[in-house]
Structure formats: structure tokens, C-alpha cells
């Protein structure tokens, strides 16, 4: 069974710290892996998309890496700000998933001022 | 946990036909559902916010007459791609907000792949 796991489920850090969110997946045969941000009461915001052939993607203070061999992806947030507080989700597009995205349960991030 | 289903999981149709995609919240009533679209090798993009009993709110650049959204009940929202063309081929995913959760957690459907020939 293909699964995506995010640990921890929640994380609270002081403002200004660098932090890493983890995402693991059970099958290395993926087309891509995505990181999303979810704000309470709002829709989903796509952050970074990493294709299977890529090792990392960067957008501003965010950097996402992909290691298919170990089945892991990380989202690195530099110089965290209170506005970064949200739930972060990763989703994998497995090659053998019957055309479905497999989602992690998310990590709720709180940045304390 | 809460479950959101989508039907069909994939569909192939001819150009000019209309395709309906269903999004259901299976164990909770969702007053708000979201529809997203993802083109190959691109990130997910929010298309519209579907509110039960009222008109959907469309994001800029999304044609409301082409992508008809009906949220007729608290457990079902439908997205109809009218007069589909090959450029509409994409991955469509919905999410539903669970009002029972203090954080109004959203749960996501597995997605529907549409291929228009």
C-alpha cells in the first residue's frame, strides 16, 4: 500500500528559527511530490513541486528536497515568521496509484512571536 | 478520519463533450468545498470555492460558464467541464472543510484525471 507520512503532526518554534518539516513515502516510483500550505478556513496553496528527476526546489525562504531512494522529502523554512503558521501538507503522485494523489496528514506549524 | 471521495477517478472523453466530476464528503457535512486543477508538471491551482446553497466563487482566470459548479447538498459538490477541449485535460481535485473540527480542517479527495481527445 502506498502511503505518505508526515512527522511531527504539530510543531511550535520561536520566530526567526530555521526549521525542517519531514515527509516520507513508501514507494520510490513517483512522478512528483508537492508541498502545500493550508490556512484555517481557506483553500490550499501550492508551495513547491518537485519532479521525480529533480533533487530540490526553492522559492524564497522555502527549500524542498527529494530523495527517492530513501523515500523522503523535506521542506526547509528559513528565518521563520509568524505568518508562516499554517498546516503544511505533502502529496505524492505515485506511478502506480490509479491516478490518485496520496496525501500526508500534515504538520501544523506554529511560529511564536 | 474524515473521508472525501471523488468520482470518477479518471475519464477519457471526446472534444466537445461535457464531463461531470463528483466530490462527496462521506462522513461529515461540508458547507464549503474547494476545487483545484493541476496541469502536467505544474502545481495545483485553486479554481473555485463551492458553497452549499449559493453560487461558487471563482478564482481569477477561471471561466465560470465553462466550469459549472453545483453544491446542491451538504455532502456533494459537482464540477462539470462543459464542451471539453484537449487543453482542459488535467488533474482535478476537491477538498471539503469539516465544520466539526475546531480548526476547520480540510480533507482532500483522491483526484480525477481528465483526458480530452
Amino acid at each position: 500500500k502506498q502511503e505518505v507520512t508526515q512527522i511531527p503532526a504539530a510543531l511550535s518554534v520561536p520566530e526567526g528559527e530555521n526549521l525542517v518539516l519531514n515527509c516520507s513515502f513508501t514507494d520510490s516510483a513517483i512522478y512528483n511530490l508537492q508541498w502545500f500550505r493550508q490556512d484555517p478556513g481557506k483553500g490550499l496553496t501550492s508551495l513547491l513541486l518537485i519532479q521525480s528527476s529533480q533533487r530540490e526546489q526553492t522559492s524564497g525562504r522555502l527549500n524542498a528536497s527529494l530523495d527517492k531512494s530513501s523515500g523522503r522529502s523535506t521542506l526547509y523554512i528559513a528565518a521563520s515568521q509568524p505568518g508562516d503558521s499554517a498546516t503544511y501538507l505533502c502529496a505524492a503522485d505515485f506511478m502506480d496509484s490509479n491516478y490518485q494523489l496520496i496525501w500526508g496528514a500534515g504538520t501544523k506549524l506554529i511560529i511564536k512571536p | 478520519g474524515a473521508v472525501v471521495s471523488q468520482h470518477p477517478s479518471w475519464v477519457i472523453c471526446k472534444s466537445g463533450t461535457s464531463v461531470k466530476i463528483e466530490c462527496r464528503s462521506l462522513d461529515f457535512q461540508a458547507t464549503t468545498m474547494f476545487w483545484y486543477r493541476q496541469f502536467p508538471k505544474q502545481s495545483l491551482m485553486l479554481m473555485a470555492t463551492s458553497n452549499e446553497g449559493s453560487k461558487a466563487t471563482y478564482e481569477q482566470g477561471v471561466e465560470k460558464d465553462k466550469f459549472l459548479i453545483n453544491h446542491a447538498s451538504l455532502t456533494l459538490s459537482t464540477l462539470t467541464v462543459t464542451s471539453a477541449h484537449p487543453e482542459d485535460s488535467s488533474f482535478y481535485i476537491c477538498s471539503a472543510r469539516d465544520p466539526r473540527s475546531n480548526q476547520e480542517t480540510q480533507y482532500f479527495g483522491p483526484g480525477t484525471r481528465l483526458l480530452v481527445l
Side-chain angles (χ1 to χ4, degrees):
Chain A
K1 181 181 179 181
Q2 294 159 329
E3 295 182 346
V4 175
T5 304
Q6 291 185 250
I7 296 174
L11 181 64
S12 179
V13 300
E15 178 180 6
E17 284 195 4
N18 302 324
L19 60 99
V20 174
L21 304 181
N22 297 297
C23 174
S24 61
F25 46 95
T26 55
D27 187 349
S28 63
I30 60 172
Y31 290 117
N32 59 65
L33 185 136
Q34 301 187 62
W35 283 93
F36 297 87
R37 170 181 173 144
Q38 178 185 13
D39 291 281
K42 296 184 179 180
L44 200 62
T45 300
S46 178
L47 297 174
L48 290 165
L49 167 68
I50 310 176
Q51 299 291 350
S52 176
S53 59
Q54 299 174 324
R55 295 294 298 271
E56 66 177 351
Q57 283 286 313
T58 298
S59 175
R61 293 183 293 108
L62 305 179
N63 176 277
S65 68
L66 176 65
D67 183 345
K68 290 190 300 179
S69 61
S70 65
R72 299 179 66 179
S73 176
T74 61
L75 178 66
Y76 174 83
I77 302 177
S80 59
Q81 303 171 358
D84 295 330
S85 297
T87 297
Y88 291 81
L89 298 123
C90 67
D93 188 359
F94 292 102
M95 293 183 181
D96 188 21
S97 63
N98 194 26
Y99 305 105
Q100 298 181 356
L101 283 183
I102 308 298
W103 295 80
T107 294
K108 182 180 181 182
L109 176 64
I110 297 175
I111 306 299
K112 297 176 290 185
Chain B
V3 176
V4 173
S5 69
Q6 280 186 241
H7 177 79
S9 58
W10 63 273
V11 58
I12 301 174
C13 68
K14 294 182 179 180
S15 183
T17 61
S18 294
V19 175
K20 179 183 287 187
I21 302 171
E22 296 183 348
C23 177
R24 293 182 183 274
S25 56
L26 299 183
D27 59 355
F28 65 99
Q29 294 182 328
T31 56
T32 303
M33 292 184 174
F34 301 92
W35 285 97
Y36 299 85
R37 177 174 58 183
Q38 182 184 30
F39 291 108
K41 298 186 177 182
Q42 295 185 24
S43 295
L44 218 62
M45 181 187 73
L46 178 64
M47 299 176 65
T49 301
S50 172
N51 299 297
E52 187 269 338
S54 64
K55 293 182 179 180
T57 302
Y58 290 82
E59 296 298 301
Q60 188 174 7
V62 179
E63 301 176 56
K64 61 180 181 180
D65 294 330
K66 181 170 184 61
F67 298 98
L68 301 179
I69 292 175
N70 186 350
H71 195 158
S73 78
L74 289 171
T75 59
L76 174 64
S77 176
T78 60
L79 169 67
T80 301
V81 183
T82 62
S83 187
H85 292 284
E87 57 265 30
D88 297 323
S89 298
S90 185
F91 182 72
Y92 294 86
I93 186 168
C94 73
S95 69
R97 181 190 301 171
D98 184 356
R100 301 171 303 178
S101 167
N102 291 332
Q103 301 164 349
E104 296 189 321
T105 302
Q106 285 189 58
Y107 296 93
F108 302 96
T112 298
R113 290 206 184 271
L114 170 63
L115 176 61
V116 184
L117 302 176

